Amino acid sequence: MSTLTHYKIIRPLGSGSFAKVVLAEHNITKQKVAIKIIKRNKVQDENSLRKIEREIKILQGFHHPHIIRLYEFIETEREILLVMEYVPGGELYSLIERNGRIPEKQAREYFQQVISALSYCHERKVVHRDIKPENILIDEQSFLKLGDFGLSNFIRDGIFLKTSCGSPNYAAPEIISGEQYCGPQVDVWSVGVLLYTLLAAYLPFDENNIPALFAKIKAGRFNVPHYFSVGARDLIRRMLNTDPVSRITIKQIMEHPWYKANIPLHLKYTEAIVDHDRIVDCLGALQANRSRKEIFEEIFNKCLEFPEFQGLQKEQLKQQVLAKKQDSFTVTYHILLDSTLKVKRKLLNQSEINVEPIFQKKVGIFMIPDDETIVSSDCTSSTESEKSNHPMPHNWVFGFRCAISAIRLVIHLFESLKSLNMEWKFLSEFEIRVRSVGFEEQKVGEDLPKYVGKGVKFDIKIYKFNESFILDIKKVDGMEMVYLDTCASLYKKLNGSVPIVRKRSIDIY
Ligand code: AMP
């Protein structure tokens, strides 16, 4: 196919009403993609064409870990081709059909992902209107990907929608009654049906004929199986509330205790954190709570290495990526970015923390087999003598050793500091100065009355040490006991805020 110069088609994946989907390989990155091929002669009516155009318009600007990505679309006289992220695990529908009831923990994870995707859509004034397990695919890491935005629409303030959409079993009462509706709440209803179906493996509203089904939906009559937990039961009841005005909103769902339990880190901190693992970026994003707009240099530079792009103007390529153009460099950048982010998200959620206090003679942690030099906060480096196990009795290190990914460590560190009412600034990429909010220095002087200031000030340096990280802490100002007390609280927070593989009490050597 001449229009697909950058892709090699591998095999068919499936087909929909007017399109077939094929698996293909992107020639430059060798990553797999799915290509939806829509034959123009099969799209007879204007309405269907408009739907396709709307789906393209919506998906083009979207980038969310649980929404299928659209990398580019190619239009020819006979076809419209959508090059999308390849999601290999099949439909959520098939999973329920195959396995029956999904255990509550897993169902909650799926639910959290769909809610996060919907929240992203609604924030961008898009309502999906066709949430059902057939429109949700599962990727190789068991992450869900929301697709099929063919029935979605833009929400405009003050303008209500009226089109009847989606599958009847998932449709909200206001839709089947032909009433005007304000988009987001119909998605909430459908996700309520979805959550019920995940937990029960059957639908809350099901009848052999449409009038009976609609009567049930309008009355909001459904049974809750005894094995649903109290939290799930409560949430479903609030979502399947026939009154769209008092129905729970996405924002309220995200505040619900059942939803919040075990929320994965990549959802809690969205793209700002997930997208990068350089510690300084994480810290910056967390502090400012901003989402990133800039280019990921690491990915950008990798793209520049491909022979196809050598000798091209770097600045111009950057502008193309920022402008979200559809040229081959930008498409390559995004395909590569997504495959990298997938790995990072997995790492972020998989790594377990094992915070281990270090309050011991330096020799304990400076027996480093390779010669990666670790410099302690008091600026002495590991010398040959230390490596050869010579004790240094008066030289102490206080810190924690954490077997954890860098991003997770930083997230937990900052959460912990925040909850201890501390603030911080960067001293370097891997070093921060922390102080109690409202910190006052100790003043000692001849002319000044001597007084002890409020709070403490200390520096934290992060070192990589074999497979783990060391947080090295050094007091800068404040009372010794307050400092030690703060360190103990920080250790407790770090240990308590995350799943623990092995918990240890603080050992003092
Ligand atoms: P659709 O026309 O979107 O309903 O797609 C038809 C079928 O193609 C789906 O049921 C999936 O099995 C498959 N499919 C669609 N999109 C993708 C994708 N991005 N990755 C993998 N398979 C897909």
Side-chain angles (χ1 to χ4, degrees), residues 26-51:
H26 181 237
N27 288 341
I28 302 175
T29 58
K30 307 291 174 215
Q31 293 293 322
K32 301 240 174 2
V33 291
I35 304 180
K36 197 181 240 188
I37 305 170
I38 302 159
K39 297 262 182 225
R40 284 188 189 272
N41 61 7
K42 293 218 171 143
V43 190
Q44 301 293 359
D45 58 312
E46 273 292 303
N47 210 13
S48 306
L49 196 62
R50 260 208 309 277
K51 275 182 195 158

PDB file of all heavy atoms in Angstrom, residues 26-51:
ATOM      1  N   HIS A  26       5.950  -0.278  12.649  1.00  0.00           N
ATOM      2  CA  HIS A  26       6.473   1.021  12.237  1.00  0.00           C
ATOM      3  C   HIS A  26       7.930   0.814  11.839  1.00  0.00           C
ATOM      4  O   HIS A  26       8.746   0.364  12.646  1.00  0.00           O
ATOM      5  CB  HIS A  26       6.357   2.011  13.417  1.00  0.00           C
ATOM      6  CG  HIS A  26       6.846   3.373  13.104  1.00  0.00           C
ATOM      7  ND1 HIS A  26       7.828   4.000  13.826  1.00  0.00           N
ATOM      8  CD2 HIS A  26       6.475   4.247  12.136  1.00  0.00           C
ATOM      9  CE1 HIS A  26       8.044   5.205  13.318  1.00  0.00           C
ATOM     10  NE2 HIS A  26       7.234   5.376  12.301  1.00  0.00           N
ATOM     11  N   ASN A  27       8.233   1.097  10.567  1.00  0.00           N
ATOM     12  CA  ASN A  27       9.550   0.749  10.014  1.00  0.00           C
ATOM     13  C   ASN A  27      10.726   1.368  10.770  1.00  0.00           C
ATOM     14  O   ASN A  27      11.775   0.756  10.889  1.00  0.00           O
ATOM     15  CB  ASN A  27       9.645   1.207   8.556  1.00  0.00           C
ATOM     16  CG  ASN A  27       8.776   0.340   7.673  1.00  0.00           C
ATOM     17  OD1 ASN A  27       8.408  -0.768   8.072  1.00  0.00           O
ATOM     18  ND2 ASN A  27       8.423   0.844   6.499  1.00  0.00           N
ATOM     19  N   ILE A  28      10.548   2.575  11.280  1.00  0.00           N
ATOM     20  CA  ILE A  28      11.690   3.264  11.902  1.00  0.00           C
ATOM     21  C   ILE A  28      11.963   2.739  13.312  1.00  0.00           C
ATOM     22  O   ILE A  28      13.072   2.356  13.637  1.00  0.00           O
ATOM     23  CB  ILE A  28      11.449   4.794  11.918  1.00  0.00           C
ATOM     24  CG1 ILE A  28      11.231   5.284  10.478  1.00  0.00           C
ATOM     25  CG2 ILE A  28      12.610   5.524  12.593  1.00  0.00           C
ATOM     26  CD1 ILE A  28      10.859   6.751  10.337  1.00  0.00           C
ATOM     27  N   THR A  29      10.923   2.670  14.136  1.00  0.00           N
ATOM     28  CA  THR A  29      11.150   2.258  15.537  1.00  0.00           C
ATOM     29  C   THR A  29      10.997   0.750  15.740  1.00  0.00           C
ATOM     30  O   THR A  29      11.345   0.230  16.797  1.00  0.00           O
ATOM     31  CB  THR A  29      10.116   2.934  16.461  1.00  0.00           C
ATOM     32  OG1 THR A  29       8.817   2.569  15.999  1.00  0.00           O
ATOM     33  CG2 THR A  29      10.263   4.431  16.489  1.00  0.00           C
ATOM     34  N   LYS A  30      10.428   0.073  14.758  1.00  0.00           N
ATOM     35  CA  LYS A  30      10.110  -1.381  14.843  1.00  0.00           C
ATOM     36  C   LYS A  30       9.035  -1.671  15.894  1.00  0.00           C
ATOM     37  O   LYS A  30       8.886  -2.801  16.345  1.00  0.00           O
ATOM     38  CB  LYS A  30      11.356  -2.245  15.149  1.00  0.00           C
ATOM     39  CG  LYS A  30      12.518  -2.018  14.212  1.00  0.00           C
ATOM     40  CD  LYS A  30      12.207  -2.526  12.829  1.00  0.00           C
ATOM     41  CE  LYS A  30      13.285  -2.183  11.819  1.00  0.00           C
ATOM     42  NZ  LYS A  30      12.812  -1.905  10.482  1.00  0.00           N
ATOM     43  N   GLN A  31       8.332  -0.648  16.310  1.00  0.00           N
ATOM     44  CA  GLN A  31       7.240  -0.861  17.272  1.00  0.00           C
ATOM     45  C   GLN A  31       5.982  -1.286  16.523  1.00  0.00           C
ATOM     46  O   GLN A  31       5.758  -0.874  15.387  1.00  0.00           O
ATOM     47  CB  GLN A  31       6.938   0.448  18.029  1.00  0.00           C
ATOM     48  CG  GLN A  31       8.047   0.914  18.936  1.00  0.00           C
ATOM     49  CD  GLN A  31       8.274  -0.015  20.113  1.00  0.00           C
ATOM     50  OE1 GLN A  31       7.347  -0.559  20.673  1.00  0.00           O
ATOM     51  NE2 GLN A  31       9.531  -0.214  20.474  1.00  0.00           N
ATOM     52  N   LYS A  32       5.133  -2.061  17.226  1.00  0.00           N
ATOM     53  CA  LYS A  32       3.878  -2.511  16.606  1.00  0.00           C
ATOM     54  C   LYS A  32       2.825  -1.414  16.739  1.00  0.00           C
ATOM     55  O   LYS A  32       2.753  -0.718  17.758  1.00  0.00           O
ATOM     56  CB  LYS A  32       3.375  -3.770  17.295  1.00  0.00           C
ATOM     57  CG  LYS A  32       4.362  -4.921  17.247  1.00  0.00           C
ATOM     58  CD  LYS A  32       3.763  -6.089  16.543  1.00  0.00           C
ATOM     59  CE  LYS A  32       4.685  -7.253  16.299  1.00  0.00           C
ATOM     60  NZ  LYS A  32       6.030  -7.254  16.748  1.00  0.00           N
ATOM     61  N   VAL A  33       2.009  -1.287  15.711  1.00  0.00           N
ATOM     62  CA  VAL A  33       0.876  -0.356  15.755  1.00  0.00           C
ATOM     63  C   VAL A  33      -0.343  -1.064  15.178  1.00  0.00           C
ATOM     64  O   VAL A  33      -0.222  -2.109  14.522  1.00  0.00           O
ATOM     65  CB  VAL A  33       1.140   0.936  14.925  1.00  0.00           C
ATOM     66  CG1 VAL A  33       2.207   1.806  15.543  1.00  0.00           C
ATOM     67  CG2 VAL A  33       1.466   0.606  13.473  1.00  0.00           C
ATOM     68  N   ALA A  34      -1.514  -0.522  15.479  1.00  0.00           N
ATOM     69  CA  ALA A  34      -2.748  -1.065  14.872  1.00  0.00           C
ATOM     70  C   ALA A  34      -3.224  -0.023  13.864  1.00  0.00           C
ATOM     71  O   ALA A  34      -3.229   1.172  14.175  1.00  0.00           O
ATOM     72  CB  ALA A  34      -3.796  -1.294  15.944  1.00  0.00           C
ATOM     73  N   ILE A  35      -3.592  -0.462  12.681  1.00  0.00           N
ATOM     74  CA  ILE A  35      -4.082   0.503  11.680  1.00  0.00           C
ATOM     75  C   ILE A  35      -5.530   0.183  11.331  1.00  0.00           C
ATOM     76  O   ILE A  35      -5.859  -0.944  10.937  1.00  0.00           O
ATOM     77  CB  ILE A  35      -3.208   0.488  10.413  1.00  0.00           C
ATOM     78  CG1 ILE A  35      -1.746   0.757  10.786  1.00  0.00           C
ATOM     79  CG2 ILE A  35      -3.702   1.539   9.411  1.00  0.00           C
ATOM     80  CD1 ILE A  35      -0.794   0.776   9.611  1.00  0.00           C
ATOM     81  N   LYS A  36      -6.380   1.167  11.560  1.00  0.00           N
ATOM     82  CA  LYS A  36      -7.791   1.002  11.224  1.00  0.00           C
ATOM     83  C   LYS A  36      -7.961   1.507   9.797  1.00  0.00           C
ATOM     84  O   LYS A  36      -7.620   2.655   9.486  1.00  0.00           O
ATOM     85  CB  LYS A  36      -8.642   1.822  12.191  1.00  0.00           C
ATOM     86  CG  LYS A  36     -10.097   1.427  12.214  1.00  0.00           C
ATOM     87  CD  LYS A  36     -10.856   2.331  13.184  1.00  0.00           C
ATOM     88  CE  LYS A  36     -11.490   1.543  14.285  1.00  0.00           C
ATOM     89  NZ  LYS A  36     -12.371   2.298  15.145  1.00  0.00           N
ATOM     90  N   ILE A  37      -8.447   0.653   8.936  1.00  0.00           N
ATOM     91  CA  ILE A  37      -8.600   1.027   7.525  1.00  0.00           C
ATOM     92  C   ILE A  37     -10.083   1.186   7.222  1.00  0.00           C
ATOM     93  O   ILE A  37     -10.853   0.218   7.288  1.00  0.00           O
ATOM     94  CB  ILE A  37      -7.965  -0.040   6.601  1.00  0.00           C
ATOM     95  CG1 ILE A  37      -6.492  -0.242   7.016  1.00  0.00           C
ATOM     96  CG2 ILE A  37      -8.074   0.363   5.140  1.00  0.00           C
ATOM     97  CD1 ILE A  37      -5.825  -1.425   6.358  1.00  0.00           C
ATOM     98  N   ILE A  38     -10.478   2.391   6.923  1.00  0.00           N
ATOM     99  CA  ILE A  38     -11.887   2.655   6.652  1.00  0.00           C
ATOM    100  C   ILE A  38     -12.033   2.895   5.152  1.00  0.00           C
ATOM    101  O   ILE A  38     -11.409   3.813   4.591  1.00  0.00           O
ATOM    102  CB  ILE A  38     -12.369   3.908   7.432  1.00  0.00           C
ATOM    103  CG1 ILE A  38     -12.147   3.681   8.935  1.00  0.00           C
ATOM    104  CG2 ILE A  38     -13.829   4.208   7.135  1.00  0.00           C
ATOM    105  CD1 ILE A  38     -12.101   4.943   9.757  1.00  0.00           C
ATOM    106  N   LYS A  39     -12.812   2.030   4.520  1.00  0.00           N
ATOM    107  CA  LYS A  39     -13.041   2.195   3.066  1.00  0.00           C
ATOM    108  C   LYS A  39     -14.114   3.252   2.877  1.00  0.00           C
ATOM    109  O   LYS A  39     -15.217   3.121   3.422  1.00  0.00           O
ATOM    110  CB  LYS A  39     -13.527   0.871   2.461  1.00  0.00           C
ATOM    111  CG  LYS A  39     -12.522  -0.246   2.574  1.00  0.00           C
ATOM    112  CD  LYS A  39     -11.737  -0.412   1.293  1.00  0.00           C
ATOM    113  CE  LYS A  39     -10.777  -1.575   1.439  1.00  0.00           C
ATOM    114  NZ  LYS A  39      -9.444  -1.305   0.960  1.00  0.00           N
ATOM    115  N   ARG A  40     -13.804   4.269   2.105  1.00  0.00           N
ATOM    116  CA  ARG A  40     -14.772   5.358   1.928  1.00  0.00           C
ATOM    117  C   ARG A  40     -16.084   4.860   1.328  1.00  0.00           C
ATOM    118  O   ARG A  40     -17.151   5.336   1.694  1.00  0.00           O
ATOM    119  CB  ARG A  40     -14.184   6.446   1.028  1.00  0.00           C
ATOM    120  CG  ARG A  40     -13.171   7.318   1.760  1.00  0.00           C
ATOM    121  CD  ARG A  40     -12.791   8.488   0.884  1.00  0.00           C
ATOM    122  NE  ARG A  40     -11.685   9.232   1.440  1.00  0.00           N
ATOM    123  CZ  ARG A  40     -11.827  10.236   2.320  1.00  0.00           C
ATOM    124  NH1 ARG A  40     -13.006  10.577   2.745  1.00  0.00           N
ATOM    125  NH2 ARG A  40     -10.763  10.878   2.766  1.00  0.00           N
ATOM    126  N   ASN A  41     -15.991   3.863   0.422  1.00  0.00           N
ATOM    127  CA  ASN A  41     -17.243   3.422  -0.220  1.00  0.00           C
ATOM    128  C   ASN A  41     -18.154   2.647   0.744  1.00  0.00           C
ATOM    129  O   ASN A  41     -19.307   2.396   0.460  1.00  0.00           O
ATOM    130  CB  ASN A  41     -16.972   2.614  -1.501  1.00  0.00           C
ATOM    131  CG  ASN A  41     -16.175   1.346  -1.218  1.00  0.00           C
ATOM    132  OD1 ASN A  41     -15.932   1.010  -0.050  1.00  0.00           O
ATOM    133  ND2 ASN A  41     -15.747   0.654  -2.256  1.00  0.00           N
ATOM    134  N   LYS A  42     -17.597   2.268   1.903  1.00  0.00           N
ATOM    135  CA  LYS A  42     -18.435   1.565   2.901  1.00  0.00           C
ATOM    136  C   LYS A  42     -19.108   2.555   3.846  1.00  0.00           C
ATOM    137  O   LYS A  42     -20.029   2.204   4.582  1.00  0.00           O
ATOM    138  CB  LYS A  42     -17.598   0.577   3.705  1.00  0.00           C
ATOM    139  CG  LYS A  42     -17.102  -0.570   2.866  1.00  0.00           C
ATOM    140  CD  LYS A  42     -17.143  -1.854   3.642  1.00  0.00           C
ATOM    141  CE  LYS A  42     -16.849  -3.030   2.733  1.00  0.00           C
ATOM    142  NZ  LYS A  42     -16.077  -4.043   3.359  1.00  0.00           N
ATOM    143  N   VAL A  43     -18.598   3.773   3.841  1.00  0.00           N
ATOM    144  CA  VAL A  43     -19.209   4.802   4.693  1.00  0.00           C
ATOM    145  C   VAL A  43     -20.179   5.580   3.809  1.00  0.00           C
ATOM    146  O   VAL A  43     -19.812   6.551   3.148  1.00  0.00           O
ATOM    147  CB  VAL A  43     -18.132   5.758   5.261  1.00  0.00           C
ATOM    148  CG1 VAL A  43     -18.713   6.661   6.337  1.00  0.00           C
ATOM    149  CG2 VAL A  43     -16.980   4.982   5.810  1.00  0.00           C
ATOM    150  N   GLN A  44     -21.404   5.082   3.772  1.00  0.00           N
ATOM    151  CA  GLN A  44     -22.350   5.639   2.801  1.00  0.00           C
ATOM    152  C   GLN A  44     -22.889   7.002   3.244  1.00  0.00           C
ATOM    153  O   GLN A  44     -22.930   7.934   2.455  1.00  0.00           O
ATOM    154  CB  GLN A  44     -23.532   4.674   2.590  1.00  0.00           C
ATOM    155  CG  GLN A  44     -23.127   3.297   2.093  1.00  0.00           C
ATOM    156  CD  GLN A  44     -22.559   3.321   0.676  1.00  0.00           C
ATOM    157  OE1 GLN A  44     -22.483   4.364   0.042  1.00  0.00           O
ATOM    158  NE2 GLN A  44     -22.127   2.151   0.190  1.00  0.00           N
ATOM    159  N   ASP A  45     -23.291   7.094   4.489  1.00  0.00           N
ATOM    160  CA  ASP A  45     -23.998   8.320   4.870  1.00  0.00           C
ATOM    161  C   ASP A  45     -23.072   9.365   5.480  1.00  0.00           C
ATOM    162  O   ASP A  45     -22.012   9.046   6.047  1.00  0.00           O
ATOM    163  CB  ASP A  45     -25.139   7.988   5.842  1.00  0.00           C
ATOM    164  CG  ASP A  45     -24.638   7.298   7.078  1.00  0.00           C
ATOM    165  OD1 ASP A  45     -23.849   6.320   6.949  1.00  0.00           O
ATOM    166  OD2 ASP A  45     -24.955   7.723   8.184  1.00  0.00           O
ATOM    167  N   GLU A  46     -23.480  10.576   5.381  1.00  0.00           N
ATOM    168  CA  GLU A  46     -22.749  11.733   5.901  1.00  0.00           C
ATOM    169  C   GLU A  46     -22.493  11.606   7.399  1.00  0.00           C
ATOM    170  O   GLU A  46     -21.450  11.958   7.916  1.00  0.00           O
ATOM    171  CB  GLU A  46     -23.585  12.999   5.679  1.00  0.00           C
ATOM    172  CG  GLU A  46     -23.365  13.649   4.325  1.00  0.00           C
ATOM    173  CD  GLU A  46     -21.966  14.225   4.220  1.00  0.00           C
ATOM    174  OE1 GLU A  46     -21.605  15.058   5.063  1.00  0.00           O
ATOM    175  OE2 GLU A  46     -21.235  13.805   3.301  1.00  0.00           O
ATOM    176  N   ASN A  47     -23.505  11.057   8.091  1.00  0.00           N
ATOM    177  CA  ASN A  47     -23.460  10.938   9.544  1.00  0.00           C
ATOM    178  C   ASN A  47     -22.265  10.095  10.008  1.00  0.00           C
ATOM    179  O   ASN A  47     -21.531  10.477  10.927  1.00  0.00           O
ATOM    180  CB  ASN A  47     -24.775  10.315  10.019  1.00  0.00           C
ATOM    181  CG  ASN A  47     -25.118  10.799  11.398  1.00  0.00           C
ATOM    182  OD1 ASN A  47     -24.519  11.756  11.890  1.00  0.00           O
ATOM    183  ND2 ASN A  47     -26.063  10.121  12.038  1.00  0.00           N
ATOM    184  N   SER A  48     -22.076   8.952   9.330  1.00  0.00           N
ATOM    185  CA  SER A  48     -20.974   8.063   9.718  1.00  0.00           C
ATOM    186  C   SER A  48     -19.631   8.740   9.460  1.00  0.00           C
ATOM    187  O   SER A  48     -18.696   8.612  10.255  1.00  0.00           O
ATOM    188  CB  SER A  48     -21.029   6.756   8.923  1.00  0.00           C
ATOM    189  OG  SER A  48     -22.291   6.179   9.070  1.00  0.00           O
ATOM    190  N   LEU A  49     -19.551   9.460   8.334  1.00  0.00           N
ATOM    191  CA  LEU A  49     -18.317  10.157   8.014  1.00  0.00           C
ATOM    192  C   LEU A  49     -18.012  11.217   9.065  1.00  0.00           C
ATOM    193  O   LEU A  49     -16.863  11.364   9.502  1.00  0.00           O
ATOM    194  CB  LEU A  49     -18.446  10.819   6.628  1.00  0.00           C
ATOM    195  CG  LEU A  49     -17.125  11.244   5.996  1.00  0.00           C
ATOM    196  CD1 LEU A  49     -16.229  10.047   5.758  1.00  0.00           C
ATOM    197  CD2 LEU A  49     -17.386  11.969   4.673  1.00  0.00           C
ATOM    198  N   ARG A  50     -19.074  11.893   9.504  1.00  0.00           N
ATOM    199  CA  ARG A  50     -18.888  12.921  10.542  1.00  0.00           C
ATOM    200  C   ARG A  50     -18.373  12.293  11.836  1.00  0.00           C
ATOM    201  O   ARG A  50     -17.532  12.843  12.523  1.00  0.00           O
ATOM    202  CB  ARG A  50     -20.206  13.654  10.799  1.00  0.00           C
ATOM    203  CG  ARG A  50     -20.258  15.006  10.079  1.00  0.00           C
ATOM    204  CD  ARG A  50     -21.149  16.010  10.792  1.00  0.00           C
ATOM    205  NE  ARG A  50     -22.466  15.470  11.092  1.00  0.00           N
ATOM    206  CZ  ARG A  50     -23.482  15.436  10.218  1.00  0.00           C
ATOM    207  NH1 ARG A  50     -23.311  15.885   8.998  1.00  0.00           N
ATOM    208  NH2 ARG A  50     -24.655  14.936  10.566  1.00  0.00           N
ATOM    209  N   LYS A  51     -18.913  11.100  12.132  1.00  0.00           N
ATOM    210  CA  LYS A  51     -18.483  10.408  13.368  1.00  0.00           C
ATOM    211  C   LYS A  51     -16.994  10.086  13.304  1.00  0.00           C
ATOM    212  O   LYS A  51     -16.257  10.253  14.278  1.00  0.00           O
ATOM    213  CB  LYS A  51     -19.270   9.099  13.525  1.00  0.00           C
ATOM    214  CG  LYS A  51     -20.609   9.307  14.206  1.00  0.00           C
ATOM    215  CD  LYS A  51     -21.306   7.976  14.374  1.00  0.00           C
ATOM    216  CE  LYS A  51     -22.762   8.166  14.693  1.00  0.00           C
ATOM    217  NZ  LYS A  51     -23.567   6.975  14.362  1.00  0.00           N
TER     218      LYS A  51
END
